[in-house]
Amino acid sequence: MMLQESNRIGRIAMLFALADAGETLTTPLPNGWRYCTGKVGSMNSQKIVAAMETAAKSSHIIETDVYRETHALYHAIMEALYGVTRGQVQLGDVLRTVGLRFAIVRGNPYDRKQEGDWLAVALYGTIGAPVRGSEHEAIGLGINHI
Amino acid sequence: MMLQESNRIGRIAMLFALADAGETLTTPLPNGWRYCTGKVGSMNSQKIVAAMETAAKSSHIIETDVYRETHALYHAIMEALYGVTRGQVQLGDVLRTVGLRFAIVRGNPYDRKQEGDWLAVALYGTIGAPVRGSEHEAIGLGINHI
Amino acid sequence: MMLQESNRIGRIAMLFALADAGETLTTPLPNGWRYCTGKVGSMNSQKIVAAMETAAKSSHIIETDVYRETHALYHAIMEALYGVTRGQVQLGDVLRTVGLRFAIVRGNPYDRKQEGDWLAVALYGTIGAPVRGSEHEAIGLGINHI
Amino acid sequence: MMLQESNRIGRIAMLFALADAGETLTTPLPNGWRYCTGKVGSMNSQKIVAAMETAAKSSHIIETDVYRETHALYHAIMEALYGVTRGQVQLGDVLRTVGLRFAIVRGNPYDRKQEGDWLAVALYGTIGAPVRGSEHEAIGLGINHI
Amino acid sequence: MMLQESNRIGRIAMLFALADAGETLTTPLPNGWRYCTGKVGSMNSQKIVAAMETAAKSSHIIETDVYRETHALYHAIMEALYGVTRGQVQLGDVLRTVGLRFAIVRGNPYDRKQEGDWLAVALYGTIGAPVRGSEHEAIGLGINHI
Amino acid sequence: MMLQESNRIGRIAMLFALADAGETLTTPLPNGWRYCTGKVGSMNSQKIVAAMETAAKSSHIIETDVYRETHALYHAIMEALYGVTRGQVQLGDVLRTVGLRFAIVRGNPYDRKQEGDWLAVALYGTIGAPVRGSEHEAIGLGINHI
């Protein structure tokens, strides 16, 4: 059950989130893996969660009507938000806002088949006061089995 | 005080942390910026913090005998650890261990000089049970003015 | 000041919260103890707290105009919510909702009179996405001296 | 994907944890479900986690050499500990100790097969100062898909 | 880089926050130091943060258009709020409200010039249910380099 | 049940903790109130808690063999530590140490007798790296009914 060099799902998701418009990953995604990317900006943490859930479902990364898949994604999103918010998963309540690119990747990063699929949710963007320019970068990654 | 495209200090630090042996960044570091990278693995969070502080001081990223620089670095490290630990900054106490690559970058990411220097601390590696292979990836980023 | 087998206030409160309609506790409540039960469902954590405070006051579990009693109950409720929310006492902000049964019990669980009255707040129900069926169970217990 | 009345995995696990010596559950465990129970007492949170992981593996609730199963259990244990510790997953560090009964149950609580197996980890016992009698009850429940 | 007895910025800020109307500090503020005080009451944590940021800017404690100064103040405010809220930086969400006096002080508390300016944010007031009298005192202090 | 101006137990405790050697409070303690003060320094949070519990018991602020009094004090201490640690109640684990003066005050701060006694635990001192001078001030206050 070793992590495989070429299948590091978290690293791949983070490289997608960090990629600027026009940049592409130099390493191809492993066979059978799926991913989606998107952008979301808000002071409202509820909207951030909803935007990623919607993207994952409409891109068929997870199955909409299987709760275990929604549950796996939800916890991966929450873990990624811990990295972005660093202490309290709050945005507008403490007068800050985020602008984020996200990438959600699904695949088996281990060398044994029975490890099944895992999800990686990567976030990259800015966090700061609701004033243009008063912000710095923030990053988060959540990983879960599905 | 806009963040400059080519000077995104968090993105640069994260790309350093994600870089495998032999990989180099395609974009050069802005003039006058400094950085260091390293590796640390432990169940002991104290050792993780100490390893990064020691690296930053011995690489002259921060000035050893100026407390405000140590203070800035400490908080950037703690914020990066929130992303890695996602909820409680604890490792061995909750029976988990980490193996991390870190990158610490210092420079001014803004377009105005009076913003001065900032620090980015990026972490990439694995977290898991103290059993080989029972682990997944983890990422954290902390940013602070110095 | 030993906890008495038959007076385990937290266990009793939790059995009340777990009881389905029509089920009754097999062990009688100790002499002089008081309790109330109720239901509340919301994405709004403020409403959850308010529903329990109102029930405790209208059932005369606590005295309405004595602040120390309100203070004791408030902290017991918050501790029970930690168990239900597991990390951040947030519901709608992170796009989740709860449906809970609660039980509040007041009595002295210790073998010595000077320990006075204590409060147990038990919660049992479901937590999940605001989509029918996308939920799992959650439990919390808070205990405080009064 | 509704939770089934008779298959409420969290409620069942909690009733196991609450059961005194000699008490048995009145409702039989659903077909194909597995469970184990045990006791652990310590000021050392690492030992609490390890005791439950060992019990789950030696009772074949989870497969020892499949990481996704260990990962699912680990997060269920951590969530149960949030309920017991209510704020900071720390014991001896903040001068407190626990004595806990635990129950770990595995099965599918939903009405559709594709929801697969879930794990419930229930904890019941006491938490307090390392002085006999200076303690009150504590409860926690963690649930995860596996 | 020793803290100087007469320049303990946190102690000075807290004494300002504790001072009743008409009381004055017996020790003069060190040369070149700046401070402001104010009051704010709300169930809305966003308003608490905003009131202090506005006061600090309009009193010229920090420079409005330098992000590093806003960033330093923001983190000092958040740290002070941890002391007031003790666990979750939430007010109305968990049905509580605050009435606070605040003091923000800027100066160099160390004996060496290169430590530069630091900020102390002190809060003193009451926290409690949104019912007159159902409240107790709360205090917080945040300190940051600027 | 209003807080009385002259009986603000948190303010009084904080002024005790802030008082330098030789300074005395200008306002006398209300009739029947008790207090103790002390000092403790450590990287070990367990020792901080123990030092305050021991002081409170040996000064007869709380009754040693009544658990409800120990319980009230414990939670007041923990709340004061939140203010000092601001996020995670950890010291040595995250490579920091504290040197604190503490004051524990017991009395009824309200205008009605039935509010009974309350406890205030105030902490003032420094927190920082385990290097002389690499530290800044920190403050915490916890209040609880007893």
Side-chain angles (χ1 to χ4, degrees), chain C residues 90-112:
Chain C
Q90 292 173 291
L91 298 174
D93 281 350
V94 289
L95 199 59
R96 59 183 178 177
T97 189
V98 292
L100 297 168
R101 287 200 299 239
F102 61 83
I104 307 174
V105 181
R106 177 181 186 148
N108 178 357
Y110 298 95
D111 60 2
R112 288 170 59 179

Side-chain angles (χ1 to χ4, degrees), chain E residues 17-70:
Chain E
L18 291 172
D20 288 327
E23 288 185 351
T24 50
L25 292 198
T26 53
T27 328
L29 211 61
N31 252 338
W33 286 34
R34 280 174 279 168
Y35 79 97
C36 69
T37 59
K39 285 187 183 186
V40 60
S42 184
M43 286 188 83
N44 184 334
S45 48
Q46 194 177 109
K47 282 189 188 162
I48 308 290
V49 178
M52 287 189 270
E53 289 193 353
T54 301
K57 287 175 178 174
S58 65
S59 309
H60 306 291
I61 310 297
I62 65 166
E63 283 189 60
T64 299
D65 57 349
V66 180
Y67 174 50
R68 66 184 290 119
E69 302 223 336
T70 302

Side-chain angles (χ1 to χ4, degrees), chain A residues 7 9 30-35 60-63 68-69 72-73 105-110 112-120 143-146, chain D residues 66-69 71 145-146:
Chain A
N7 292 6
I9 194 169
N31 252 338
W33 286 34
R34 281 173 279 169
Y35 78 98
H60 307 291
I61 309 297
I62 65 165
E63 283 189 60
R68 66 183 291 118
E69 303 223 334
L73 176 63
V105 181
R106 178 183 183 147
N108 178 355
Y110 298 94
R112 290 171 57 179
K113 274 201 183 156
Q114 66 262 54
E115 293 299 345
D117 274 357
W118 290 65
L119 274 176
I143 289 191
N144 207 357
H145 64 281
I146 199 166
Chain D
V66 180
Y67 175 49
R68 65 183 292 118
E69 303 222 335
H71 184 253
H145 63 282
I146 200 167

Side-chain angles (χ1 to χ4, degrees), chain F:
Chain F
M1 56 191 169
M2 292 297 117
L3 274 169
Q4 294 194 279
E5 271 303 280
S6 56
N7 292 7
R8 286 170 294 171
I9 193 168
R11 187 174 185 270
I12 291 169
M14 185 51 65
L15 289 172
F16 273 126
L18 292 171
D20 289 328
E23 289 186 348
T24 50
L25 292 198
T26 52
T27 328
L29 211 60
N31 251 339
W33 286 35
R34 281 173 278 169
Y35 78 98
C36 70
T37 59
K39 286 187 183 186
V40 61
S42 184
M43 287 188 81
N44 184 333
S45 48
Q46 194 178 108
K47 282 189 188 162
I48 308 291
V49 178
M52 286 189 272
E53 288 193 352
T54 301
K57 286 176 179 174
S58 65
S59 308
H60 307 291
I61 310 297
I62 65 165
E63 282 189 61
T64 299
D65 58 347
V66 180
Y67 174 49
R68 66 184 289 122
E69 303 224 335
T70 303
H71 184 253
L73 177 63
Y74 181 79
H75 282 272
I77 290 171
M78 290 307 296
E79 297 201 352
L81 283 175
Y82 273 114
V84 167
T85 55
R86 291 148 295 131
Q88 302 274 333
V89 182
Q90 292 173 291
L91 298 174
D93 282 350
V94 289
L95 200 58
R96 58 184 178 177
T97 188
V98 292
L100 296 169
R101 287 199 300 239
F102 61 83
I104 307 175
V105 181
R106 176 183 186 147
N108 179 356
Y110 298 95
D111 59 3
R112 289 170 58 180
K113 274 201 181 157
Q114 65 261 53
E115 293 299 345
D117 273 358
W118 290 66
L119 274 176
V121 173
L123 302 174
Y124 169 69
T126 54
I127 191 165
V131 172
R132 192 166 142 71
S134 291
E135 66 200 12
H136 60 65
E137 295 158 277
I139 273 177
L141 174 70
I143 288 191
N144 208 356
H145 63 283
I146 198 165

Side-chain angles (χ1 to χ4, degrees), chain B residues 1 63-69 71-73 75 79 82 110 112 114-118 143-146, chain E residues 1 63-69 71-73 75 79 82 110 112 114-118 143-146:
Chain B
M1 56 191 169
E63 282 190 61
T64 300
D65 57 348
V66 180
Y67 175 49
R68 65 183 292 120
E69 304 222 335
H71 184 253
L73 176 63
H75 282 273
E79 297 200 352
Y82 273 115
Y110 299 94
R112 289 170 58 180
Q114 66 261 53
E115 292 299 346
D117 274 358
W118 290 67
I143 289 192
N144 208 356
H145 64 282
I146 198 165
Chain E
M1 56 191 169
E63 283 189 60
T64 299
D65 57 349
V66 180
Y67 174 50
R68 66 184 290 119
E69 302 223 336
H71 184 252
L73 176 63
H75 282 273
E79 297 201 352
Y82 272 114
Y110 298 94
R112 289 171 58 180
Q114 65 263 53
E115 293 299 346
D117 273 357
W118 290 66
I143 289 191
N144 207 357
H145 63 283
I146 198 165

